[in-house]
Amino acid sequence: MEAVHLLPLGMAFVFLVAVFRRDRTTTRPREHTIVVSDPAIIRSALIDHADAFSNRPLPRFPAGRPITHSITSAPYGPLWQGLRRNFTADILHRSRLGVLTPLEREAAAAAVASLSAQAGNNGDVVIRNTLHGAVLALFARLCFGADDDNGMDERALRTVLQMQQEFLSNFTLVRATDRSWLTRLLHWRRRRRHAGVFDRIDEVFIPAIMARRRRQSRDGDCGDGFRSYLDSLLELDIPIDDDDDGRARRPLTDEEIGFLIWEFLSAGTSSTVTCLEWTLAHLAAEPGIQDKLHREVAADHLRSMTGTAASELRLPYLHAVVLESLRLHPPVPFLLREVQAEDVAVTLGEAAVPPGGASVTFVLGAFGRDGEVWTNPDEFRPERFLEGGEGEGVSLVPGPKEIKMMPFSAGRRHCAGVAMGMAHVKCFLAEFVRELEWAQPADGSGIDFTELDEFIKWMKMPLRVRVAPRLLK
């Protein structure tokens, strides 16, 4: 009789063992981790010794299959170079920024209308979900096409939004529970829900991929006149053997395309949303800076522009406001790199890389607040990026200009979407400031600037501000 009672417990134990064996076999263990927060060492490692830090550890997401065919996780080599080259030469090419401006303005206008409707009597609004929905809709059009019949209807977008929010909310806990078998056991439900996001990627995106294939075969390439990221992936051939210099090639599978789409939508949306939220928080807390920005934006008469060029990209104070926000709150709070001992003889200061190699975590938050580089580094002062300021000429990516901040990573694997991301943020911000006035909550509670370093650097408390339409003068 006792054996009968123990049977369910035994079955549950076998199930949990299988679950966590699956998790452990789909990720590469990282027994040695080095944390680096010194700005000088970070600069030396990621800029002066970029080759040694060109690989990332395999993702620790508890997915059912290894995630190797993505720009984020692919080892440095022909596969990664092909995926990234396709990304930068097509959807992210600078020549497209002007073409994308009408889509950006349409998405920003929709967000303004939604925020205005939510303001109510006292004008207080929690803005993150509205920002997330508007930015995701923009990225979906860039990914699937600008027409209404692009395979992603409103219901599918709501599903993707929910998947992104679940992934981001679970990320920190799942990462923390990876420390031991006991923590994995105690939080197995949360870990399985987290893994479930990846199981749903194929379910959500493959129907849209198949629909685009059918449309291409019927109408030819880009039948709607808009070349999307999905179009480029459908035409891309990748190396069969990453060690064979990429000579033998094959098309991407639908599953691989699905994960690349998820990567594009998730990384682009979350980094844009967090940058907008932090910037609007500072503008609400600093009405003088907000007024100065409003005068510049209003004087530019953006509504009368033809759309052939993105005027937001030429507004110096708008540019300075965004840079100052990125300096204080880099969207990516830390970088993970995988290195071998023979590659990093002196690049990590006193930290020693063991013979078997190590995972290195670079903490970027302190880099933009280095008191030896920036005057009053914790102060929000966009003027430092204007002509004559200490931030004039500072570069966001590797190049001939000086690197004093790293909001978009650095080295070989710096973010490829810097130009497009900056254009999105500026367009949304210009529309927000021109149409709406932003202030601290009406109840006098103020704005909490506490940071939460997860997959993205979020505000710990989602931003709640008082929003009101600007009166015409």
Side-chain angles (χ1 to χ4, degrees):
M1 183 66 68
E2 289 80 0
V4 173
H5 291 158
L6 291 174
L7 181 60
L9 180 60
M11 293 178 64
F13 177 77
V14 170
F15 168 75
L16 291 175
V17 169
V19 165
F20 294 112
R21 282 179 60 86
R22 181 187 183 201
D23 284 350
R24 292 176 65 85
T25 57
T26 55
T27 58
R28 180 173 179 176
R30 290 182 251 166
E31 298 180 358
H32 301 282
T33 300
I34 299 172
V35 179
V36 179
S37 57
D38 186 300
I41 298 177
I42 294 175
R43 184 183 291 106
S44 173
L46 296 179
I47 297 175
D48 300 333
H49 301 272
D51 288 342
F53 295 91
S54 57
N55 277 324
R56 289 174 172 161
L58 284 177
R60 303 183 75 172
F61 308 141
R65 57 178 180 267
I67 302 169
T68 56
H69 286 77
S70 79
I71 300 174
T72 301
S73 59
Y76 187 78
L79 171 62
W80 177 82
Q81 291 169 341
L83 293 172
R84 185 181 172 98
R85 188 180 301 116
N86 173 71
F87 196 43
T88 56
D90 205 305
I91 189 69
L92 295 183
H93 197 273
R94 287 181 175 274
S95 63
R96 296 198 62 179
L97 296 183
V99 177
L100 300 181
T101 301
L103 299 180
E104 294 169 336
R105 291 178 178 166
E106 182 180 336
V112 167
S114 178
L115 291 170
S116 299
Q118 295 174 53
N121 294 329
N122 67 358
D124 282 3
V125 179
V126 178
I127 69 169
R128 184 178 296 173
N129 286 343
T130 299
L131 294 181
H132 201 156
V135 174
L136 174 61
L138 171 62
F139 273 89
R141 297 186 75 180
L142 302 180
C143 185
F144 295 99
D147 62 318
D148 294 330
D149 185 24
N150 59 19
M152 290 295 290
D153 56 19
E154 185 176 345
R155 180 179 179 182
L157 279 179
R158 285 199 301 269
T159 300
V160 176
L161 180 62
Q162 181 183 14
M163 290 168 61
Q164 289 184 351
Q165 292 172 337
E166 288 178 2
F167 172 78
L168 292 170
S169 65
N170 288 331
F171 178 80
T172 298
L173 177 59
V174 170
R175 195 162 162 263
T177 61
D178 223 17
R179 297 170 182 170
S180 69
W181 69 268
L182 179 59
T183 56
R184 288 194 294 273
L185 179 64
L186 292 175
H187 297 281
W188 72 271
R189 289 183 181 274
R190 178 67 68 91
R191 292 175 62 82
R192 299 321 302 163
R193 285 199 298 270
H194 192 57
V197 171
F198 295 91
D199 296 334
R200 294 161 64 190
I201 288 175
D202 294 348
E203 174 187 338
V204 173
F205 294 129
I206 286 183
I209 296 170
M210 296 174 64
R212 194 64 176 181
R213 286 189 190 277
R214 290 192 297 268
R215 183 166 184 173
Q216 284 188 346
S217 64
R218 184 186 71 234
D219 302 333
D221 294 345
C222 309
D224 55 7
F226 182 92
R227 181 172 171 79
S228 67
Y229 183 45
L230 175 55
D231 291 327
S232 71
L233 294 175
L234 291 173
E235 299 169 6
L236 181 64
D237 289 332
I238 62 171
I240 293 177
D241 184 354
D242 207 29
D243 296 325
D244 192 31
D245 295 329
R247 289 189 292 269
R249 308 182 75 83
R250 65 169 178 84
L252 289 163
T253 66
D254 286 353
E255 289 76 14
E256 290 166 346
I257 293 176
F259 193 84
L260 286 163
I261 288 173
W262 165 258
E263 176 184 55
F264 174 75
L265 295 178
S266 299
T269 299
S270 56
S271 58
T272 303
V273 169
T274 191
C275 182
L276 284 170
E277 187 176 35
W278 281 113
T279 308
L280 291 169
H282 282 287
L283 293 178
E286 300 281 354
I289 294 175
Q290 182 182 168
D291 289 344
K292 185 175 180 178
L293 178 60
H294 175 256
R295 288 194 298 271
E296 180 186 63
V297 170
D300 198 52
H301 302 293
L302 295 181
R303 287 178 179 266
S304 64
M305 299 294 289
T306 63
T308 56
S311 65
E312 292 90 347
L313 304 182
R314 302 195 305 266
L315 299 179
Y317 198 66
L318 175 62
H319 184 68
V321 167
V322 175
L323 289 182
E324 181 69 341
S325 179
L326 291 171
R327 180 187 69 82
L328 289 171
H329 315 286
V332 180
F334 50 82
L335 304 179
L336 298 180
R337 293 292 185 267
E338 191 174 64
V339 295
Q340 301 300 317
E342 60 269 20
D343 295 330
V344 287
V346 294
T347 57
L348 296 178
E350 297 179 358
V353 178
S359 172
V360 182
T361 299
F362 294 102
V363 182
L364 300 185
F367 197 92
R369 298 183 186 234
D370 186 357
E372 297 184 3
V373 176
W374 303 99
T375 303
N376 299 322
D378 295 327
E379 178 185 349
F380 186 78
R381 187 165 57 85
E383 286 74 12
R384 71 176 82 238
F385 288 98
L386 298 179
E387 184 177 357
E390 60 193 339
E392 182 184 11
V394 167
S395 176
L396 296 179
V397 297
K401 295 183 179 180
E402 185 177 3
I403 297 289
K404 293 183 178 180
M405 50 193 282
M406 290 185 182
F408 299 105
S409 181
R412 294 283 182 267
R413 305 191 76 131
H414 72 274
C415 176
V418 173
M420 185 177 70
M422 290 289 289
H424 289 346
V425 170
K426 289 179 185 179
C427 190
F428 272 90
L429 197 59
E431 187 80 12
F432 289 161
V433 173
R434 185 175 66 250
E435 297 295 330
L436 301 172
E437 187 171 1
W438 303 77
Q440 301 196 51
D443 61 7
S445 59
I447 296 173
D448 185 353
F449 284 92
T450 304
E451 297 178 336
L452 183 61
D453 287 346
E454 295 185 328
F455 189 71
I456 295 291
K457 185 183 286 292
W458 293 107
M459 299 186 73
K460 185 175 182 179
M461 295 299 297
L463 179 61
R464 180 168 63 91
V465 287
R466 184 156 38 98
V467 177
R470 287 193 178 270
L471 300 177
L472 296 177
K473 296 183 181 179

